[in-house]
Amino acid sequence: MAELLLAKGYEVHGIVRRVAIEDPEHRLVRLEAVRSRIKLHAASLESYASIHQVVANVLPEECYHLAAQSFVSYSFDDEFSTLNANVNGTHFMLAAVKNVVPECRFYFAGSSEMFGKAEEVPQTGRTRFHPRSTYGISKVAGFDLTRNYREAYGMHASSGILFNHESPRRGYEFVTRKITSGVARIAAGRSTELRLGNLDAKRDWGHAREYVEAMWLMLQQDQPDDYVIATGETHTVQEFVELAFAHVGLDYRNYVTPDPDLFRPAEVNLLLGDASYAKNRLRWSHVVAFEALVREMVEADCRTLGVQAKVRSMV
Ligand code: GDR
């Protein structure tokens, strides 16, 4: 997101926790490409005062609220902190913007996890929410808060209901990066096994670089609104695994070990988004196909470990 905004000539400010500012080598690695060009401020989603202070210092014209405890699996281990951080954090951001710069345009990162046990396929902006984790519940609450600030206070506040979006910068705990980094380690001879949970879950995976364009487009519209952002294609985790291993010439069956501990107490089995509203209104659509996304992520992880020579073209 920061990269896109910088390319468009924006002055970009970001909020991170104080500990991250003190330990940038470990905690801000994924901001490497932009760190010298953005201004980081210490604040916490748990503290209204800290957020208010940053908003008052920066006086933003656009605010992209992406911060959250975003790992669904972890939300089962610590339901309370997920709800606290995600619901209060969103409320604090909205309230600070309303109190300090009410004309600032606001983006809330909604999620396909709000559809959860999806009541129809594909999911659109009219599909009823049925979240299956406190993470999903927190996102439904954030979505409702955002809509309420729009309706009650006339704020230009929009939500994107984004389906899974990935890139080589994805955190290692999420399944796509866990797979591609695992494949690279196995191809490099540093590991012999990849432990995974539910391989049957289906996700609509797109490229994060394209999804941030949609977020920006939402804030350029005259009127605030909510949009589903997705590719309209769904694939199982197993398909991702097969392609990723095939890309380095390996058969996943020799390396993937099922681990019952990695199954979630309540799973979201099938996500498939219909982004036609965004296509019509925002003129947004995705280009990067599933296979290309898998390839880019595997190649990036292989490059890091110096195994690019082994990478074969995908069939
Ligand atoms: P998700 O992403 O929960 O869809 O949320 P994740 O990559 O964690 O899981 C996708 C699917 O893979 C299955 N799975 C595993 N998942 C993980 N993390 N690790 C494993 O070992 C594993 N094995 C199988 C999961 O059960 C699940 O079905 C992401 C996040 O970015 C959210 O913040 C965001 O809102 C949504 O996408 C859209």
Side-chain angles (χ1 to χ4, degrees):
M1 187 80 232
E3 231 164 13
L4 175 83
L5 296 174
L6 287 167
K8 292 185 182 298
Y10 282 56
E11 181 182 317
V12 179
H13 295 256
I15 290 177
V16 290
R17 276 166 289 196
R18 184 187 51 76
V19 284
I21 289 185
E22 285 165 9
D23 186 16
E25 282 74 28
H26 290 108
R27 294 175 181 262
L28 300 175
V29 179
R30 279 177 285 157
L31 286 181
E32 204 48 57
V34 292
R35 218 167 82 206
S36 60
R37 293 180 288 151
I38 63 179
K39 175 90 179 82
L40 293 177
H41 304 264
S44 162
L45 278 189
E46 286 155 11
S47 154
Y48 174 78
S50 71
I51 292 170
H52 182 103
Q53 195 174 9
V54 175
V55 172
N57 281 341
V58 174
L59 300 177
E61 290 166 17
E62 293 179 12
C63 174
Y64 295 87
H65 171 43
L66 315 182
Q69 191 303 93
S70 67
F71 188 28
V72 177
S73 190
Y74 181 71
S75 74
F76 290 104
D77 298 330
D78 192 347
E79 301 184 322
F80 298 94
S81 77
T82 299
L83 271 177
N84 280 344
N86 293 4
V87 179
N88 291 339
T90 300
H91 199 179
F92 294 161
M93 290 296 306
L94 280 162
V97 167
K98 167 185 152 281
N99 291 337
V100 180
V101 276
E103 68 290 352
C104 171
R105 296 186 172 196
F106 185 89
Y107 173 85
F108 171 65
S111 164
S112 48
E113 287 296 302
M114 301 191 308
F115 295 124
K117 191 175 176 199
E119 300 198 352
E120 59 179 353
V121 181
Q123 295 90 47
T124 73
R126 288 178 307 281
T127 305
R128 213 145 52 103
F129 297 142
H130 187 144
R132 298 268 279 171
S133 60
T134 49
Y135 171 80
I137 292 166
S138 76
K139 287 292 174 180
V140 172
F143 179 88
D144 283 336
L145 279 164
T146 303
R147 186 170 51 197
N148 196 236
Y149 268 66
R150 176 164 83 217
E151 292 173 357
Y153 308 116
M155 274 174 59
H156 193 296
S158 300
S159 291
I161 305 178
L162 269 55
F163 282 60
N164 299 52
H165 41 290
E166 318 291 319
S167 85
R169 291 180 187 161
R170 190 53 142 152
Y172 290 99
E173 67 273 40
F174 298 96
V175 78
T176 54
R177 188 77 194 282
K178 182 174 175 182
I179 295 166
T180 61
S181 61
V183 163
R185 271 201 314 280
I186 289 168
R190 297 189 190 189
S191 171
T192 52
E193 182 190 47
L194 178 60
R195 302 184 79 81
L196 290 171
N198 183 9
L199 298 183
D200 297 325
K202 291 179 141 183
R203 288 291 182 278
D204 180 331
W205 277 295
H207 199 299
R209 191 178 52 236
E210 298 184 324
Y211 284 39
V212 296
E213 283 272 356
M215 287 154 52
W216 177 78
L217 282 168
M218 288 176 212
L219 297 208
Q220 311 316 308
Q221 305 305 302
D222 289 340
Q223 298 301 323
D225 206 342
D226 305 319
Y227 300 87
V228 163
I229 302 297
T231 70
E233 253 187 57
T234 192
H235 296 273
T236 59
V237 173
Q238 169 140 347
E239 282 174 78
F240 196 106
V241 169
E242 283 176 21
L243 274 176
F245 275 92
H247 196 45
V248 292
L250 297 175
D251 184 338
Y252 80 98
R253 287 171 293 193
N254 298 326
Y255 304 96
V256 171
T257 310
D259 185 341
D261 288 343
L262 295 171
F263 280 67
R264 297 176 183 180
E267 178 62 285
V268 169
N269 291 321
L270 167 57
L271 290 177
L272 172 63
D274 174 356
S276 44
Y277 187 70
K279 284 190 179 114
N280 293 335
R281 295 291 182 107
L282 305 177
R283 302 268 163 247
W284 178 87
S285 60
H286 84 287
V287 174
V288 179
F290 176 67
E291 291 74 12
L293 174 66
V294 179
R295 183 170 57 231
E296 183 183 330
M297 292 180 71
V298 172
E299 286 182 355
D301 280 321
C302 283
R303 243 191 330 273
T304 305
L305 297 187
V307 288
Q308 61 268 52
K310 287 191 187 171
V311 174
R312 297 188 190 157
S313 327
M314 235 182 267
V315 277

